Amino acid sequence: MEAPKIIIAVDGYSSSGKSSMAKALARSLGYNYVDTGAMYRAVTLYAMCHGLIAADGAVDTEVLTAALPRISVTFKRDADGSQHTILNGEDVENEIRGLEVSGHVSDVSAIPAVRHFLVEQQQAFGKEKGIVMDGRDIGTTVFPNAELKIFVDASARTRAERRFKELQAKGVDTTFDEVLANVESRDLIDRTRKESPLRKADDAISLDNSTMTIDEQNRWLIDQYHNVISRLTSK
Ligand code: DC
């Protein structure tokens, strides 16, 4: 019997490695993968490019809300499997990962209209199931009925170290303290915002991957997947 397709929600703090693990899991299951952080980052880039973020960081919520119907965020997969985020037809994968977007994305993603707009699209992506989606509110808001929910955690310092290495490898000019400050401030905004704050769903399984290798993580995830499938098929 073919295994039923399920929805897998992977939530957690920024730079917890959840995107890499969600991507690897999707690849090994032949599932679609959606990086919802990239969608919030793309909307942030749109706001930046259209002068909707003031020098002091204030976002023009009203104008951005009115512009939402003109914003299209899609994904394109390369032959090598790497995923690119497309904003209104343009590949913005590199731009959305920069520190400038990272500095504004928490404020943009705290805007209720932005969240409603993107959550609706995310729910449409999951209609056929067979999907791994990573973000902050996937298990709580986007797919409260997801069959498998993972909540990834690791200390802010561990996450900042990972992010710093990634940025260094990309040649981005920054310091560890700057990256740590960005991780900590995003954690705070993500946790305390009114609309869909970052929170572990009651039925999510926690994973602290501070000391796990990528292989150990991937094996652990596949085990969780098989547990769910055997529970569903033994009913
Ligand atoms: O996962 P990431 O670091 O690329 O996410 C970027 C930002 O988007 C992060 O500060 C929180 C926000 N986000 C969100 O509010 N809800 C999601 N489902 C995904 C990301």
Side-chain angles (χ1 to χ4, degrees):
M1 194 176 72
E2 210 182 308
K5 285 195 170 170
I6 63 169
I7 292 180
I8 303 177
V10 181
D11 287 304
Y13 288 96
S14 63
S15 304
S16 57
K18 62 186 181 336
S19 295
S20 313
M21 78 173 72
K23 228 178 276 174
L25 181 64
R27 201 178 313 121
S28 52
L29 300 178
Y31 275 23
N32 285 323
Y33 163 68
V34 176
D35 172 359
T36 61
M39 300 172 82
Y40 288 95
R41 285 171 180 272
V43 172
T44 303
L45 181 66
Y46 179 96
M48 281 164 49
C49 294
H50 287 77
L52 306 183
I53 302 186
D56 66 356
V59 184
D60 189 334
T61 303
E62 214 170 295
V63 177
L64 180 58
T65 301
L68 289 172
R70 294 193 293 280
I71 301 180
S72 146
V73 185
T74 53
F75 296 99
K76 189 187 88 193
R77 201 172 321 168
D78 269 357
D80 68 0
S82 63
Q83 202 157 300
H84 292 247
T85 308
I86 311 294
L87 169 63
N88 289 346
E90 199 186 323
D91 187 334
V92 292
E93 188 56 38
N94 284 336
E95 278 162 284
I96 62 166
R97 306 293 167 190
L99 270 187
E100 209 184 336
V101 169
S102 297
H104 295 299
V105 65
S106 284
D107 290 323
V108 170
S109 58
I111 300 170
V114 170
R115 301 205 70 82
H116 292 155
F117 174 71
L118 292 181
V119 165
E120 224 168 72
Q121 296 181 22
Q122 291 154 9
Q123 288 170 334
F125 286 143
K127 268 214 175 102
E128 309 287 320
K129 299 206 172 194
I131 193 163
V132 182
M133 193 171 280
D134 87 57
R136 302 291 189 287
D137 58 341
I138 312 305
T140 52
T141 303
V142 182
F143 296 121
N145 297 322
E147 289 85 353
L148 175 57
K149 299 180 185 178
I150 310 287
F151 190 85
V152 193
D153 200 1
S155 72
R157 187 156 277 277
T158 305
R159 290 181 284 120
E161 274 161 14
R162 287 183 192 147
R163 184 92 188 106
F164 182 55
K165 272 190 204 143
E166 268 169 32
L167 290 169
Q168 270 190 321
K170 283 187 187 162
V172 177
D173 181 25
T174 182
T175 64
F176 174 74
D177 287 347
E178 230 174 6
V179 175
L180 180 62
N182 178 260
V183 164
E184 285 177 337
S185 94
R186 278 203 285 158
D187 283 2
L188 185 70
I189 303 179
D190 288 351
R191 253 195 332 252
T192 55
R193 68 170 174 236
K194 261 217 200 93
E195 184 85 9
S196 295
L198 172 63
R199 160 179 95 68
K200 176 181 167 297
D202 293 338
D203 52 350
I205 306 169
S206 288
L207 168 68
D208 182 338
N209 64 359
S210 302
T211 60
M212 275 170 126
T213 65
I214 302 282
D215 276 352
E216 282 168 344
Q217 264 184 107
N218 291 347
R219 272 200 302 275
W220 182 88
L221 278 170
I222 292 280
D223 284 349
Q224 305 309 316
Y225 164 80
H226 285 301
N227 289 345
V228 171
I229 296 298
S230 40
R231 211 171 52 227
L232 290 175
T233 50
S234 67
K235 271 183 188 164

